[in-house]
Amino acid sequence: MTEVRLHIYDVTNSGSDKTNSTIVQINKIFKDGIGLGGIFHSAVQVYGEEEWSFGFCEQGSGVFSCPSGKNPMYTYRESMVLGRTNFSKLKVNQILQELSREWPGSSYDLLSKNCNHFCDEFCEKLGVQKLPGWVNRFANAGDAAIEIAENTALRLRQAKTEIVSASKVAYRFLVGVTSSSSGGNDSSGNSNRGSPRFQAAWFKNIITTGAKPSSSSEIETQGGSGFQNHRLQNSAQTMQQSFQDSQRSP
């Protein structure tokens, strides 16, 4: 049984003294001041004087070690004991070999797969408690925000598709009802309205102007079936305009 210790650093490897100083101040305010969190690098020490962590590299494993508390890329902040592991040194080395294969450097992601995520998994395999929440809170919050934004965008795209589909169905239904009603109420003198030539011309007029072509024989009384036809034609015109607007939207 041996002690498992977590080493924590302020992330000051930006290459700009001004940026590094800003990060240190942010960590002081949000971690030391209100206990919320900050921008940190972490590493785990177990058996010996080396600490183990994870970082980006183009090829090979991203798992690496350095003398405990002396990573030259960051500014050392503090350390804490996370517990004691029952595993032997040989078993710990086997765990590190497995993690080295599972954590290639090219898979590094600042929000979803960083050094703190690696230390969390390493500690879990060692059988000790995970990192305190404040160590990786900023990254977790950013990752959650991205996921929420992606899910929202997906739902909006699905809703738009459903609206367009419903508009198409409703428009076709109204066109069919208007066509049937007009055909059923015409006099025998106007029986040619059921012919394919008339139907084609009428539908073309609906598409281009949204109104059924008029003729002298259509000037009927404003009550009864004439008024009903007028309402149906107006509905078809309105639905056609809505359908065309939805097709033009990005």
Side-chain angles (χ1 to χ4, degrees):
M1 180 177 289
T2 190
E3 183 179 88
V4 178
R5 181 174 290 271
L6 179 70
H7 296 279
I8 302 172
Y9 301 77
D10 292 318
V11 175
T12 53
N13 63 335
S14 68
S16 167
D17 291 340
K18 183 177 181 180
T19 301
N20 292 341
S21 177
T22 299
I23 291 174
V24 172
Q25 292 303 316
I26 289 174
N27 289 349
K28 286 182 178 179
I29 294 172
F30 285 94
K31 181 356 181 115
D32 302 335
I34 61 180
L36 180 61
I39 305 171
F40 303 112
H41 171 80
S42 63
V44 174
Q45 178 185 0
V46 56
Y47 283 116
E49 298 302 320
E50 296 285 301
E51 65 179 32
W52 296 87
S53 191
F54 171 74
F56 172 81
C57 62
E58 293 183 354
Q59 295 182 345
S61 176
V63 178
F64 68 93
S65 67
C66 67
S68 297
K70 297 180 181 180
N71 190 319
M73 296 180 63
Y74 309 107
T75 301
Y76 191 76
R77 165 176 276 268
E78 62 184 287
S79 70
M80 63 184 68
V81 176
L82 297 179
R84 301 178 69 86
T85 182
N86 292 321
F87 293 131
S88 65
K89 187 175 182 179
L90 178 61
K91 179 61 177 177
V92 171
N93 287 336
Q94 291 176 349
I95 292 174
L96 285 169
Q97 289 175 3
E98 293 174 1
L99 292 174
S100 295
R101 291 191 295 268
E102 296 170 359
W103 291 72
S106 59
S107 68
Y108 179 91
D109 184 89
L110 181 63
L111 297 181
S112 62
K113 196 171 185 179
N114 60 31
C115 57
N116 301 318
H117 295 107
F118 167 81
C119 290
D120 252 348
E121 183 168 338
F122 189 19
C123 289
E124 183 178 12
K125 289 182 178 295
L126 292 174
V128 299
Q129 69 181 40
K130 291 187 175 183
L131 278 61
W134 57 265
V135 175
N136 205 31
R137 182 165 288 131
F138 279 17
N140 291 335
D143 194 35
I146 290 176
E147 183 178 357
I148 291 172
E150 290 176 346
N151 290 339
T152 300
L154 176 61
R155 287 195 293 269
L156 288 175
R157 288 194 296 269
Q158 291 174 339
K160 179 183 176 182
T161 301
E162 292 173 359
I163 290 172
V164 171
S165 299
S167 298
K168 290 179 180 179
V169 172
Y171 169 69
R172 290 166 183 166
F173 172 76
L174 283 176
V175 168
V177 170
T178 305
S179 177
S180 299
S181 177
S182 298
N185 290 316
D186 284 341
S187 63
S188 58
N190 292 319
S191 59
N192 65 324
R193 292 188 183 185
S195 66
R197 179 180 297 178
F198 176 81
Q199 293 293 341
W202 179 77
F203 184 74
K204 181 178 179 181
N205 202 357
I206 283 284
I207 295 298
T208 55
T209 67
K212 184 178 178 182
S214 60
S215 64
S216 59
S217 61
E218 286 183 288
I219 304 176
E220 302 171 353
T221 178
Q222 296 301 311
S225 61
F227 179 68
Q228 181 181 7
N229 288 340
H230 180 68
R231 291 180 60 187
L232 288 170
Q233 291 160 13
N234 285 343
S235 298
Q237 180 180 359
T238 302
M239 184 57 65
Q240 168 64 11
Q241 184 63 43
S242 299
F243 172 68
Q244 292 174 346
D245 290 343
S246 68
Q247 291 291 85
R248 288 196 296 268
S249 64

